Amino acid sequence: MMSYGERPRLLVVANRLPVSSKKTGENSWSMEMSPGGKFNLLGGVTDQYDTKWVGWPGFDVYNEVEKTALSKSLAQMNCIPVFLNEVFDQYYNGYSNGIIWPILHHMGLPIECHHDANKTFQTQYDAYKKANRMFLDVVIENYEEGDTIWCQDYHLMFLPQYLKEYNNKIKVGWFLHSPFPSSEVYKTLPSRSELLRSVLRADLLGFHTYDFARHFVSTCTQILGVEGTDEGVVDQGRLTRVVVLPMGIDPDRFISTSKLPEVIQQMNELKEKFFGKKVILGVDRLDMIKGIPQKYLGFEKFLEENPDWRNKVVLVQIAVPTRDAVPEYQKVRDQVHGLVGRINGRFGSISSLPVHHMDCSVPSNYLCALYATADVLLVTSLRDGLNLVSHEFVACQESKKGVLILSEFAGAGQSLGAGALLVNPWNVTEVSSAIKEALTMPAEERDERHRVNFQYVITNSAEKWGGDFLSELNDAFAESEMKIRSIPHELPQRDMIQRYSQSNHRLIVLGFCGTLTEPMNSQNEELDLKLNPKLKGTLKALCNDPKTTVVVLSRSGRNILDKVFGEYKIWLAAENGMLLRDPTGEWVTNMPENMNLDWVNGVKNVFKYFTDRTPRSFFEANETSLVWNHEYADVKFGKTQARDMLQHLWAGPISKASVDVVRGNHSVEVHAMSETKGAAIGRILEEMMHKISMTTPIDYVFCSGYLLEKDEDIYTFFESEIVPSKLSHETRSKSSSSNIMKNQISPNVLDLKKENYFSVAIGQTRSKARYVIDSSQDVVDLLHKLAIADTTTMANTVSDSELHQRLAMETRI
């Protein structure tokens, strides 16, 4: 437990520790921070925390004495090792980089090798889970109450689940530094559901770009059948927040390094070496996704089409070797070397080569000199999570203001695209044209493009990225804790009824389907929604009470609500308030002008198709929404069909439409954007002010329904601390134009005290409601008790004995 004045503790868990260890003696080691490691850039953030790094040290250690010695040396660098040993190869080279990595980078699932029974998809998957368990064990061993755990990347997708299973109160964040693919690619992964559900246990998930985040949320909805929202993913009432936070660099380090005497000397040597030539620079891992072959093909095309540039430009490519033992990498290396030889053979001479290719990494100071000297940085990634090389180049170009050519498939394209020349690396002609444009670009345009990108790089640093993520994580965790603490309590019925009878103006807000509807079962031949027959007398008594206003708020269309409630003096809100009906039966529309409903027919066709192929399913087609329901279909088959339907919808009729898709337990709904029950209730109250002479403010509210999580904002709308700021402003802003004061209606439509507000969820263990009841039958019983609670008022419309007799007969209470 952290005491006052201490820095909060942060455990950053990654596959690899950010240090290089070198054995100097039998049981002694020397340590230094690894150059260029992305987590080294978090210095400003980690200084604010008591930070520990948890990860694999980079090599196997089997001897216990050596493990102890290495652990002590690493502890001086705030590092904690995870010794993976025999599990490492199948966990890292096998499942992490052989299966998950290709999927994330849109390369598809590799073919399983059946020649080695010890290295199958299953054995690699088992090793991956075992390694994640080993990370868990080390984290638990070093965890202290109140610590924040920040898991990094695709190597640790099971760790959030394992941490929450160990202790659900641990604060857990997870960030993906790779791309996330479309659902069509991800769904080929055999363990697709398990991995998604595991990372969804984290409190916050982070991605570099909106595309990656959108793909992730869409994949979760299609594969798991959960609900995607603007905030993240909702599964069984629990929200996992998803944020987009592109990582940055430490720009000050590159700017200051570029000014070191040693670096200036190296820059002068490079200028002398390439005197009279423009320098195009490439800095990449020798990797299948980095597009080095495409870069060379584009450069070759440029030299072919622009002979006057052949002795005036040079391409310097740093290709850092990675995983040389993997056959796919060997193929890329051989292809690259072949292209280098071909280009130099066609366009070079003994004294001048157009391509300088280096299969090695270079010291950080020399890299800064290359960045600062280059006229153009050429990035042709075929798929890249971000690409920080482009940030580093911009930071070092403060004086020269070179041009950045950036692949549209690199995550950095969404951050630096405004100042870069974006290219499709697969289009050789486009790359060639971009090279020419960069080399001939006027100085004014170069300056402006550099200014835009330089401002972004220095503003959006790695320190800001880390700080923003941890701030978002703290907020998400606090919100989650609040929801856990606010699990609804059992409804105090006696107090609720007593306060009802003592109030002057009551408002009863009810959901429709699953709340007031007739109970149905799979044997019912009719699937029409009907009012529970036990409610007929009760509801009529409540609606006829002059001190009580009843509102039914539903996603159903007005035709259905009219059919069910036509005889009642009741307020109806169809399609979540898009259409309102007052107790006289008059409907008014609240639809925005020029609402685009072009998507309706396409969605209707999809719903009809799935209704035809799913026995006992049905759909409602309303004016601004459509709902497909599979509650009475076979449970497993219905869920499978719903997942397939979501894929059809996202790929077709709603791919570019302004709609919300809500996945319920037994339904799929598509409706006009941003319509929730909470948003509708404010308009209903305003309409009530216009329609009736409200001389007495509402001082009692009972609100209940079987609601989707998205609609539970109706419960928080009536919270006493929210109502005044929401309604008083709206009322004041409309009072002059609607002559409210002339009708002597109080500007305080609601005078609601906390003890007079009863929000009641039906059958949900987690809800924004204050209280919970088991079933819709409990709603029937409650409404009956309210109807007979104020017998003095009831006597004005129905005799007391008649009311008791009728209600007793209808409700059998």
Side-chain angles (χ1 to χ4, degrees):
M1 178 75 73
M2 183 181 68
S3 61
Y4 180 77
E6 290 184 356
R7 291 182 299 166
R9 278 175 42 105
L10 171 66
L11 299 182
V12 181
V13 191
N15 169 68
R16 180 73 183 269
L17 289 173
V19 298
S20 297
S21 305
K22 185 177 180 180
K23 195 170 185 179
T24 56
E26 184 176 349
N27 290 314
S28 61
W29 306 80
S30 65
M31 305 283 167
E32 64 177 358
M33 297 299 290
S34 302
K38 64 181 66 170
F39 302 121
N40 298 341
L41 308 177
L42 290 175
V45 173
T46 54
D47 286 346
Q48 301 171 27
Y49 288 80
D50 179 7
T51 305
K52 308 291 182 185
W53 305 86
V54 179
W56 181 59
F59 47 86
D60 295 335
V61 180
Y62 293 92
N63 184 282
E64 293 300 323
V65 175
E66 285 192 352
K67 284 183 181 179
T68 302
L70 177 59
S71 298
K72 287 182 178 179
S73 297
L74 287 169
Q76 298 174 12
M77 306 286 289
N78 291 320
C79 290
I80 304 168
V82 179
F83 297 108
L84 298 172
N85 295 343
E86 67 280 348
V87 79
F88 176 79
D89 181 59
Q90 295 221 50
Y91 146 71
Y92 182 75
N93 295 319
Y95 200 77
S96 294
N97 291 313
I99 296 177
I100 298 181
W101 188 90
I103 290 288
L104 295 180
H105 289 82
H106 276 245
M107 297 173 64
L109 189 69
I111 298 175
E112 183 173 16
C113 178
H114 297 284
H115 299 301
D116 189 349
N118 295 320
K119 288 188 178 182
T120 64
F121 281 0
Q122 186 60 49
T123 60
Q124 293 170 342
Y125 178 63
D126 292 342
Y128 182 84
K129 294 177 71 175
K130 183 176 181 180
N132 274 245
R133 287 281 184 191
M134 296 168 78
F135 276 94
L136 171 73
D137 293 340
V138 174
V139 171
I140 291 175
E141 186 178 344
N142 292 273
Y143 175 77
E144 296 179 8
E145 185 179 351
D147 286 359
T148 296
I149 313 296
W150 189 359
C151 309
Q152 307 289 336
D153 228 350
Y154 59 91
H155 312 89
L156 300 172
M157 293 182 74
F158 273 115
L159 190 55
Q161 174 182 323
Y162 293 161
L163 287 166
K164 290 292 187 178
E165 288 174 347
Y166 169 73
N167 182 349
N168 196 43
K169 293 185 178 181
I170 294 180
K171 188 189 306 180
V172 180
W174 181 80
F175 198 96
L176 180 66
H177 294 274
S178 298
F180 195 91
S182 67
S183 59
E184 287 302 308
V185 175
Y186 182 85
K187 69 191 296 186
T188 61
L189 188 62
S191 53
R192 58 191 189 181
S193 298
E194 295 87 343
L195 290 172
L196 289 177
R197 290 200 180 279
S198 179
V199 295
L200 285 174
R201 292 295 301 275
D203 299 292
L204 182 71
L205 306 178
F207 298 86
H208 282 306
T209 75
Y210 286 98
D211 283 348
F212 303 157
R214 178 172 54 83
H215 284 160
F216 176 80
V217 173
S218 175
T219 298
C220 288
T221 62
Q222 294 181 38
I223 292 178
L224 302 180
V226 295
E227 181 185 353
T229 72
D230 292 340
E231 293 185 290
V233 178
V234 178
D235 185 11
Q236 298 179 343
R238 181 185 178 274
L239 170 68
T240 301
R241 287 182 58 190
V242 174
V243 294
V244 177
L245 293 171
M247 191 178 183
I249 62 172
D250 178 1
D252 292 337
R253 181 170 74 88
F254 286 89
I255 293 171
S256 59
T257 300
S258 299
K259 298 175 181 178
L260 293 175
E262 174 192 344
V263 175
I264 293 175
Q265 175 62 31
Q266 291 171 334
M267 290 167 57
N268 291 332
E269 293 172 359
L270 288 168
K271 290 175 183 177
E272 183 179 346
K273 180 177 182 179
F274 299 119
F275 179 75
K277 296 182 180 181
K278 296 285 188 178
V279 178
I280 301 173
L281 178 63
V283 180
D284 306 277
R285 295 195 316 272
L286 185 56
D287 204 320
M288 291 99 72
I289 65 162
K290 292 300 183 179
I292 299 178
Q294 284 73 16
K295 182 183 304 186
Y296 282 142
L297 290 172
F299 184 60
E300 183 179 39
K301 182 77 169 176
F302 169 75
L303 294 177
E304 286 176 355
E305 296 181 342
N306 300 276
D308 52 326
W309 275 99
R310 289 180 185 173
N311 291 313
K312 299 176 182 177
V313 63
V314 61
L315 172 56
V316 178
Q317 177 65 52
I318 308 297
V320 182
T322 57
R323 292 173 274 190
D324 287 336
V326 179
E328 288 77 6
Y329 290 84
Q330 295 171 359
K331 292 177 183 177
V332 173
R333 182 192 61 199
D334 293 343
Q335 182 185 10
V336 165
H337 288 175
L339 286 169
V340 171
R342 188 173 82 189
I343 295 170
N344 283 339
R346 289 183 64 189
F347 303 108
S349 64
I350 295 176
S351 60
S352 177
L353 295 176
V355 176
H356 290 245
H357 180 94
M358 293 184 286
D359 282 320
C360 62
S361 59
V362 297
S364 58
N365 284 5
Y366 187 66
L367 181 60
C368 285
L370 282 169
Y371 282 144
T373 305
D375 298 279
V376 178
L377 180 74
L378 183 55
V379 178
T380 53
S381 304
L382 306 181
R383 185 70 58 176
D384 224 345
L386 192 61
N387 193 284
L388 292 176
V389 164
S390 55
H391 290 241
E392 295 171 358
F393 170 76
V394 171
C396 293
Q397 282 282 319
E398 191 174 8
S399 298
K400 193 161 190 178
K401 299 177 175 57
V403 180
L404 172 63
I405 301 176
L406 184 56
S407 167
E408 63 186 62
F409 300 117
Q414 293 190 16
S415 306
L416 301 178
L421 297 178
L422 293 178
V423 295
N424 174 4
W426 295 101
N427 188 332
V428 174
T429 301
E430 188 174 315
V431 175
S432 171
S433 298
I435 293 173
K436 184 175 183 179
E437 182 180 356
L439 293 175
T440 59
M441 185 177 292
E444 296 80 7
E445 183 179 350
R446 286 205 324 269
D447 290 350
E448 177 58 22
R449 286 179 177 272
H450 173 76
R451 184 191 64 79
V452 171
N453 279 347
F454 187 75
Q455 184 61 39
Y456 179 87
V457 168
I458 62 174
T459 303
N460 295 275
S461 63
E463 180 178 347
K464 182 178 183 300
W465 167 76
D468 287 348
F469 183 87
L470 293 172
S471 176
E472 292 274 6
L473 175 56
N474 289 333
D475 291 346
F477 183 75
E479 183 179 328
S480 176
E481 284 288 285
M482 189 179 302
K483 285 186 176 181
I484 292 174
R485 289 195 297 270
S486 61
I487 293 175
H489 302 289
E490 185 178 350
L491 178 67
Q493 290 194 25
R494 185 184 296 275
D495 184 50
M496 172 189 164
I497 295 167
Q498 182 179 5
R499 291 187 177 279
Y500 176 88
S501 63
Q502 295 172 350
S503 59
N504 297 310
H505 189 176
R506 307 96 171 216
L507 176 64
I508 298 177
V509 183
L510 302 167
F512 174 47
C513 188
T515 305
L516 304 178
T517 48
E518 179 181 20
M520 300 174 71
N521 57 61
S522 59
Q523 303 304 315
N524 284 5
E525 302 225 350
E526 255 184 289
L527 295 175
D528 289 342
L529 297 173
K530 296 180 179 180
L531 182 67
N532 190 323
K534 296 180 179 180
L535 273 172
K536 291 183 178 180
T538 301
L539 195 58
K540 186 164 289 188
L542 291 170
C543 291
N544 290 336
D545 180 1
K547 294 172 63 176
T548 303
T549 300
V550 182
V551 177
V552 172
L553 187 51
S554 174
R555 290 184 175 271
S556 296
R558 61 176 167 181
N559 292 336
I560 292 176
L561 297 185
D562 257 339
K563 180 180 177 181
V564 174
F565 299 102
E567 63 182 287
Y568 298 93
K569 296 178 181 179
I570 195 171
W571 285 86
L572 299 176
E575 302 187 37
N576 265 13
M578 284 287 195
L579 302 162
L580 302 178
R581 196 203 79 167
D582 65 26
T584 68
E586 180 184 355
W587 283 95
V588 296
T589 180
N590 273 290
M591 288 188 287
E593 294 183 11
N594 303 319
M595 175 180 283
N596 188 342
L597 297 176
D598 293 344
W599 51 270
V600 170
N601 287 334
V603 173
K604 190 180 296 185
N605 290 335
V606 172
F607 278 12
K608 185 179 186 305
Y609 171 73
F610 278 89
T611 299
D612 291 342
R613 62 187 260 187
T614 311
R616 300 196 62 72
S617 69
F618 63 98
F619 77 93
E620 291 179 49
N622 303 316
E623 294 176 54
T624 63
S625 66
L626 294 96
V627 183
W628 182 75
N629 191 298
H630 61 90
E631 183 175 2
Y632 308 110
D634 177 82
V635 174
K636 187 173 181 180
F637 186 65
K639 289 183 177 180
T640 302
Q641 295 293 80
R643 288 197 293 269
D644 289 348
M645 173 185 285
L646 289 168
Q647 296 182 44
H648 278 69
L649 290 173
W650 285 117
I654 66 168
S655 59
K656 296 182 180 179
S658 296
V659 297
D660 279 336
V661 179
V662 180
R663 177 74 171 94
N665 288 334
H666 306 289
S667 64
V668 174
E669 176 178 356
V670 181
H671 63 82
M673 188 71 79
S674 300
E675 281 308 308
T676 65
K677 288 181 168 58
I681 195 65
R683 294 197 303 273
I684 295 170
L685 291 175
E686 290 176 20
E687 193 66 25
M688 289 168 59
M689 291 167 52
H690 292 286
K691 292 282 186 178
I692 63 176
S693 298
M694 191 185 296
T695 57
T696 306
I698 295 167
D699 60 352
Y700 178 97
V701 174
F702 168 58
C703 181
S704 183
Y706 184 79
L707 305 181
L708 299 174
E709 196 272 345
K710 188 181 186 72
D711 288 329
E712 287 204 338
D713 57 348
I714 193 173
Y715 295 141
T716 56
F717 181 93
F718 286 107
E719 293 292 342
S720 58
E721 64 271 25
I722 298 175
V723 170
S725 61
K726 271 191 174 180
L727 274 179
S728 60
H729 172 73
E730 293 175 4
T731 305
R732 286 195 300 271
S733 66
K734 293 181 177 291
S735 59
S736 59
S737 60
S738 57
N739 296 318
I740 293 175
M741 297 306 294
K742 291 182 180 179
N743 294 329
Q744 297 182 339
I745 297 177
S746 169
N748 294 318
V749 182
L750 289 176
D751 182 19
L752 186 61
K753 297 180 181 179
K754 183 177 180 180
E755 56 269 23
N756 273 12
Y757 175 47
F758 296 87
S759 55
V760 184
I762 300 174
Q764 292 172 263
T765 56
R766 289 190 179 184
S767 172
K768 294 177 182 176
R770 293 180 175 182
Y771 306 105
V772 65
I773 53 179
D774 292 333
S775 68
S776 60
Q777 181 57 46
D778 293 324
V779 177
V780 175
D781 297 342
L782 282 170
L783 294 177
H784 168 80
K785 292 173 182 177
L786 294 180
I788 63 174
D790 194 345
T791 55
T792 302
T793 302
M794 296 297 154
N796 293 329
T797 55
V798 184
S799 68
D800 190 49
S801 59
E802 180 183 351
L803 177 66
H804 276 274
Q805 183 179 6
R806 184 190 304 172
L807 293 180
M809 179 175 62
E810 291 180 348
T811 60
R812 297 179 184 177
I813 291 179

